[in-house]
Amino acid sequence: MLCLGFAFLYIPMFLLIFYSFNASRFVPVWGGFSIKWYITLFQSEEVWNAVILSLEIAIMNATFATLLGAMAGIAMARIRRFRGRVLFSGMISAPLVMPEVITGLSLLLLFITMSELIGWPTRGITTITIAHITFSLAYVAVIVQSRLVGIDESLEEAAQDLGARPYRVLIDITVPLIAPALVAGWLLAFTLSLDDLVIASFVSGPGSNTLPMLIYSRVKLGLKPDVNALATIIILIVTIGVIIAGWILSRQEKQRLLDQQMADSEKYDFSESIR
Amino acid sequence: MTQATDTSKLFENQPWLDPDAEPFVKIRALTKTFGSFTAVSSVDLDIYEGELFSLLGGSGCGKTTLLRMLAGFEEPSSGTISIDGVDMANIPPYQRPVNMMFQSYALFPHMTVEQNVGYGLKQDRVEKNEIAERVAEILAIVELTPFNKRKPHQLSGGQRQRVALARSLVKKPKVLLLDEPLAALDKRLREQTQFELMNIQHQLGVTFIVVTHDQEEAMTLSTRIAVMDQGQFSQIGTPTDIYEYPQTRFVANFIGSANMFEGRVVENGDNHVIVRSSHGDLSFYIDHSFEIRENIGVSIALRPEKITLSREVPETIDEYNTVKGIVDDIGYLGNFSIYRILLENDKIIAVTHPNQSRPRDARHLAEWDDEVLLSWAPSSPILLTK
């Protein structure tokens, strides 16, 4: 049963990897082992441009979304009462449930209206980035909020009690404590942006093709082995990333357990010393 | 380490009895409501410099809310707080001359012991060398010097408690607020830490205000205790006052245990009061007077350790302060035993008796179903009208 589940999940990917080494021009026909499609890929300027554009957008998006999302998350978790709180927390999570087509369409309308009225923004990298920030920040806000809910509020109170003004509390205590959530939020926003096809298609302009857009448009013209090669490289990068993340996390966990055991074994040293 | 001195001795002058003494912390008509719930209801309180004052009460009695208002984390709905003559209204927590030790200790997990303790001084822009000096000094007092480079998760519960204490003391606050400071420690460590806390308080002379639900802790530590119930003080007094002279039924029951009797005042003399219990043939002769009308309904509280238990039951017994009963149950606690005595009217009285000698045949003072005589001194019954 487990094998069946794994097969269901992974056979498509293995097929893709397998065919990326196919010498034949026709995807389903095996023509012997070859890496020529990888070479074609690296020589294609179009692909490189798309990769760079996607990465640029993803990095900018992740950074701004993390900044804004963290602010929203902190406001929702730590400020118990402010005017419009309920509305705000409802609105912030709306992009999570909104169909992408609608988000994309509405943003396109906004950008067209704006560029007619004030001449900004021109459609392209700017509009895609703004569009991505609007929905990514909702995810970051939710991650940051849930992390903060799990953190004892008395830590921030203790800092205040010791004389730290609110902004110092934010910088010295809150931000370090939510750092894991910020990293997770940044990575998620990065991935969401890299992954997005629908919204980017709506708001992009001429000449600015992101990687997913490029792959999609090529596949529409017929399956080609160089797309398989591109996909294989992406799979490889993601796999390495996941393995490294898992390794770091498990090492931290082990270290924490070890520290705890050491501390507990010294538990009674105080009671010894005062006698 | 020296044995802790009895803090009540330090306060032989008892500033709270002196009408001219200026209180250090002055609370007037302080009220805090959360929606329709009143957590603290118009309380007045004076705390004097150098006191170790306890706020004692069950959960939800408002003691923590009161402490948080002192720290500035909750804004009073009405009323005033002043510390050392300065009104605390509109002074944010980070500018108050108080520090708090949190129940959860609230140690910053990403900082070392040293950084945790030095954080408050850093906020005051104290010079680096001086920070290091003062941190080292306070860590020596709480005996944590070897652990200064550790992170909180590398410490045991008792060590964390002392880091929290050091961190809240290093700024030499005028008042230190402690929220259930010992609740997270196990029993053995707690008892030792109590004395440690008293020593440190004595050493530094800082006014301590402790919130606790543990009456033993409050009794050992405090110069005075305020017993809180439903947002108000039931009684404020020294541990002895609170235990020996409780003013309400709640205090008598909450502090220690007490046998309660309902009764009626049958005689009110110049130097004595006689109360007849409504549980049949039992009368109390109390050897001091009260301003109370005759024939009024009152309660009598009688501490289990103030009752003498005897197996010799005479034919006729005294009219007052004695009663016959049968041993219904015995609880052996090692240092003392609890006897539950069934009276003729089916009421059960608890009596404690210290096990001063080692019984050779492992027998108790009285055995199950023995007929026994209970008696007590005329100074022992506590008359309560509230």
Side-chain angles (χ1 to χ4, degrees):
Chain A
M1 203 55 210
L2 187 69
C3 293
L4 205 69
F6 277 135
F8 180 70
L9 285 173
Y10 288 104
I11 280 183
M13 280 188 234
F14 280 120
L15 269 180
L16 191 145
I17 294 170
F18 177 73
Y19 280 119
S20 75
F21 294 106
N22 189 354
S24 162
R25 276 195 68 229
F26 304 102
V27 171
V29 183
W30 183 248
F33 179 84
S34 156
I35 56 162
K36 70 174 178 189
W37 300 117
Y38 287 88
I39 295 164
T40 329
L41 194 68
F42 282 109
Q43 284 166 347
S44 156
E45 202 180 317
E46 197 189 5
V47 171
W48 276 114
N49 285 341
V51 168
I52 288 165
L53 181 73
S54 272
L55 287 177
E56 272 177 352
I57 293 173
I59 289 170
M60 279 198 294
N61 163 60
T63 309
F64 281 104
T66 304
L67 205 66
L68 295 171
M71 280 156 67
I74 291 171
M76 284 194 295
R78 282 298 184 254
I79 307 176
R80 258 169 274 165
R81 269 185 312 222
F82 58 88
R83 204 202 298 239
R85 187 182 192 287
V86 177
L87 186 71
F88 179 68
S89 51
M91 295 292 275
I92 201 94
S93 50
L96 300 178
V97 290
M98 197 69 75
E100 285 186 328
V101 186
I102 292 175
T103 312
L105 185 63
S106 57
L107 281 165
L108 176 63
L109 284 174
L110 173 76
F111 291 140
I112 290 172
T113 318
M114 275 174 72
S115 61
E116 272 183 17
L117 286 177
I118 58 173
W120 186 88
T122 37
R123 273 183 286 152
I125 182 165
T126 322
T127 49
I128 301 175
T129 309
I130 294 173
H132 281 180
I133 292 171
T134 56
F135 74 87
S136 306
L137 83 84
Y139 289 88
V140 179
V142 170
I143 294 175
V144 168
Q145 185 192 7
S146 62
R147 166 90 187 174
L148 270 175
V149 167
I151 288 175
D152 187 2
E153 215 176 326
S154 59
L155 287 169
E156 285 147 297
E157 285 176 349
Q160 270 206 48
D161 184 67
L162 291 166
R165 286 159 182 282
Y167 82 94
R168 281 250 59 105
V169 177
L170 181 74
I171 291 167
D172 293 345
I173 310 297
T174 314
V175 169
L177 289 178
I178 60 171
L182 295 179
V183 172
W186 194 93
L187 287 174
L188 183 66
F190 182 82
T191 318
L192 284 170
S193 166
L194 215 54
D195 194 42
D196 169 66
L197 170 65
V198 178
I199 294 175
S201 312
F202 270 101
V203 298
S204 82
S208 48
N209 270 349
T210 63
L211 194 59
M213 285 165 71
L214 178 85
I215 294 174
Y216 184 69
S217 65
R218 287 205 173 184
V219 170
K220 265 203 301 196
L221 300 174
L223 286 173
K224 270 209 207 123
D226 58 346
V227 175
N228 288 348
L230 182 61
T232 303
I233 292 172
I234 293 175
I235 290 174
L236 189 72
I237 291 171
V238 169
T239 311
I240 291 171
V242 168
I243 289 172
I244 290 175
W247 179 69
I248 291 172
L249 281 181
S250 80
R251 217 180 50 156
Q252 279 178 345
E253 182 64 16
K254 269 190 204 144
Q255 186 61 44
R256 206 185 56 76
L257 280 175
L258 205 68
D259 286 344
Q260 192 57 55
Q261 279 172 356
M262 270 175 59
D264 284 344
S265 65
E266 295 166 353
K267 196 167 188 172
Y268 286 105
D269 64 333
F270 171 54
S271 36
E272 304 302 328
S273 69
I274 75 163
R275 242 184 275 133
Chain B
M1 183 127 310
T2 52
Q3 189 59 43
T5 32
D6 182 0
T7 37
S8 60
K9 283 208 187 96
L10 302 172
F11 272 85
E12 267 166 6
N13 54 342
Q14 306 207 332
W16 49 90
L17 297 179
D18 176 3
D20 294 329
E22 187 55 30
F24 198 61
V25 178
K26 214 193 256 179
I27 294 173
R28 290 290 175 271
L30 193 67
T31 300
K32 177 70 190 179
T33 54
F34 296 104
S36 61
F37 173 70
T38 307
V40 174
S41 174
S42 188
V43 300
D44 295 318
L45 182 62
D46 289 332
I47 297 172
Y48 296 87
E49 193 165 6
E51 264 200 274
L52 204 164
F53 193 93
S54 289
L55 296 167
L56 176 64
S59 57
C61 72
K63 55 189 195 301
T64 301
T65 308
L66 182 54
L67 198 74
R68 290 176 59 83
M69 283 194 279
L70 283 163
F73 298 130
E74 304 285 353
E75 216 171 294
S77 305
S78 65
T80 59
I81 298 172
S82 73
I83 296 173
D84 200 11
V86 181
D87 186 6
M88 286 293 125
N90 303 320
I91 297 187
Y94 49 87
Q95 283 170 349
R96 293 197 178 197
V98 302
N99 282 130
M100 180 152 165
M101 189 183 140
F102 289 80
Q103 185 175 9
S104 62
Y105 306 149
L107 300 179
F108 308 134
H110 55 293
M111 298 185 192
T112 62
V113 168
E114 249 177 4
Q115 288 168 333
N116 261 287
V117 175
Y119 186 79
L121 295 172
K122 213 172 114 189
Q123 299 314 309
D124 287 356
R125 299 178 197 286
V126 176
E127 221 183 303
K128 265 211 173 121
N129 296 336
E130 200 193 330
I131 293 183
E133 227 168 79
R134 282 170 71 176
V135 168
E137 193 185 332
I138 197 88
L139 285 181
I141 291 179
V142 298
E143 297 178 20
L144 275 175
T145 312
F147 303 99
N148 58 351
K149 292 281 188 277
R150 292 219 190 161
K151 292 265 181 80
H153 70 270
Q154 296 168 313
L155 300 173
S156 67
Q159 291 165 346
R160 283 182 214 174
Q161 193 260 359
R162 283 177 290 144
V163 177
L165 184 65
R167 188 179 69 179
S168 53
L169 279 170
V170 76
K171 289 184 75 177
K172 303 198 170 96
K174 288 181 176 168
V175 180
L176 181 66
L177 310 170
L178 302 100
D179 188 6
E180 304 272 3
L182 308 174
L185 304 178
D186 57 50
K187 195 174 185 306
R188 206 166 78 102
L189 205 52
R190 190 161 61 220
E191 283 168 3
Q192 288 164 340
T193 313
Q194 273 175 13
F195 290 107
E196 186 71 350
L197 209 56
M198 284 161 64
N199 273 333
I200 289 173
Q201 196 258 352
H202 186 200
Q203 215 171 325
L204 302 177
V206 175
T207 307
F208 277 31
I209 302 178
V210 181
V211 153
T212 178
H213 69 275
D214 182 339
Q215 49 128 331
E216 245 175 70
E217 190 176 306
M219 299 284 285
T220 349
L221 287 174
S222 321
T223 50
R224 285 190 303 153
I225 299 172
V227 182
M228 255 187 119
D229 181 34
Q230 294 177 6
Q232 286 178 317
F233 296 133
S234 302
Q235 188 173 350
I236 302 171
T238 62
T240 325
D241 282 344
I242 301 262
Y243 188 78
E244 303 290 355
Y245 305 98
Q247 285 164 1
T248 69
R249 292 181 182 93
F250 175 80
V251 175
N253 271 316
F254 190 78
I255 310 291
S257 50
N259 297 295
M260 299 295 279
F261 303 89
E262 300 305 314
R264 204 158 277 288
V265 177
V266 292
E267 192 182 320
N268 189 0
D270 286 341
N271 57 358
H272 71 277
V273 178
I274 295 172
V275 176
R276 191 167 173 75
S277 158
S278 29
H279 311 284
D281 198 16
L282 179 55
S283 292
F284 298 90
Y285 180 96
I286 306 172
D287 66 355
H288 42 274
S289 60
F290 291 88
E291 281 184 27
I292 193 167
R293 276 185 294 125
E294 273 176 32
N295 216 16
I296 203 166
V298 294
S299 294
I300 295 285
L302 197 54
R303 300 282 185 202
E305 76 281 5
K306 300 237 175 357
I307 303 174
T308 312
L309 185 142
S310 158
R311 275 210 286 175
E312 273 146 45
V313 186
E315 284 290 305
T316 52
I317 60 168
D318 289 351
E319 194 184 351
Y320 304 119
N321 295 351
T322 37
V323 67
K324 274 193 292 189
I326 289 176
V327 178
D328 186 58
D329 212 346
I330 304 172
Y332 176 72
L333 276 84
N335 50 353
F336 65 90
S337 297
I338 299 176
Y339 298 86
R340 288 163 60 82
I341 311 295
L342 183 67
L343 303 188
E344 275 165 10
N345 52 38
D346 282 348
K347 188 171 169 62
I348 285 183
I349 296 188
V351 179
T352 55
H353 187 80
N355 296 319
Q356 281 177 325
S357 60
R358 241 180 188 175
R360 232 168 251 148
D361 49 0
R363 282 175 65 87
H364 297 282
L365 181 67
E367 291 297 332
W368 276 267
D369 295 333
D370 278 356
E371 193 176 44
V372 291
L373 185 74
L374 305 181
S375 58
W376 48 89
S379 60
S380 296
I382 304 156
L383 190 147
L384 300 164
T385 53
K386 279 190 278 193

